[in-house]
């Protein structure tokens, strides 16, 4: 069972801290402290409290799929206003020109 504490409403310092860690959660707490005008210990306590309460749910990394060799396969259904060949061709052309599809199947 995941125990969460009840967190008091977020104040301006909490919100300022959250804006920083949303951009880069590896920002040193001393640097955050300087930006939000709190001590590093206060920043650490606030982050820990927000993690414990579930305000901060997870720390994660955004990967470059090409650098790690991952391909993404997605099947997307598109509804057109009609099934005329001209409409289908126009949709395929648009999708191939504006989105990064490797293949459009009809």
């Amino acid at each position: 069972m995941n125990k969460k504490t009840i967190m008091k409403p977020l104040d301006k310092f909490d919100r300022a801290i959250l804006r920083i860690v949303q951009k880069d959660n590896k920002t040193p707490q001393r640097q955050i402290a300087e930006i939000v005008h709190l001590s590093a210990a206060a920043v650490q306590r606030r982050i820990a409290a927000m993690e414990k309460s579930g305000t901060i749910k997870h720390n994660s990394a955004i990967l470059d799929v090409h650098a790690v060799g991952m391909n993404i396969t997605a099947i997307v259904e598109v509804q057109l206003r009609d099934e005329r060949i001209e409409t289908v061709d126009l949709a395929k052309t648009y999708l191939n020109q504006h989105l990064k599809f490797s293949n459009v199947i009809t």
Side-chain angles (χ1 to χ4, degrees):
M1 186 168 143
N2 187 5
K3 292 184 179 181
K4 291 184 180 181
T5 60
I6 297 174
M7 174 114 178
K8 62 179 176 39
L10 299 176
D11 64 15
K12 69 178 185 175
F13 295 109
D14 294 325
R15 292 184 189 286
I17 292 167
L18 288 173
R19 277 192 295 277
I20 294 166
V21 297
Q22 279 185 298
K23 289 179 186 173
D24 182 1
N25 71 341
K26 289 193 167 236
T27 304
Q29 290 179 356
R30 282 189 205 144
Q31 185 177 347
I32 296 171
E34 289 174 14
I35 295 167
V36 300
H37 307 291
L38 290 173
S39 69
V43 168
Q44 188 278 329
R45 283 191 302 270
R46 286 171 178 264
I47 290 174
M50 288 187 281
E51 288 173 340
K52 190 173 182 181
S53 72
T55 300
I56 297 174
K57 287 186 170 191
H58 185 73
N59 292 303
S60 63
I62 299 172
L63 305 178
D64 179 332
V65 294
H66 300 293
V68 296
M70 294 172 55
N71 291 319
I72 298 173
T73 301
I75 299 173
V76 179
E77 180 180 349
V78 177
Q79 293 185 357
L80 302 175
R81 67 177 168 243
D82 60 61
E83 296 179 12
R84 292 181 304 143
I85 192 71
E86 298 84 13
T87 304
V88 173
D89 286 343
L90 185 63
K92 286 170 61 175
T93 299
Y94 177 84
L95 292 172
N96 280 319
Q97 288 177 351
H98 293 89
L99 303 173
K100 294 183 178 183
F101 285 110
S102 60
N103 195 7
V104 175
I105 303 169
T106 55

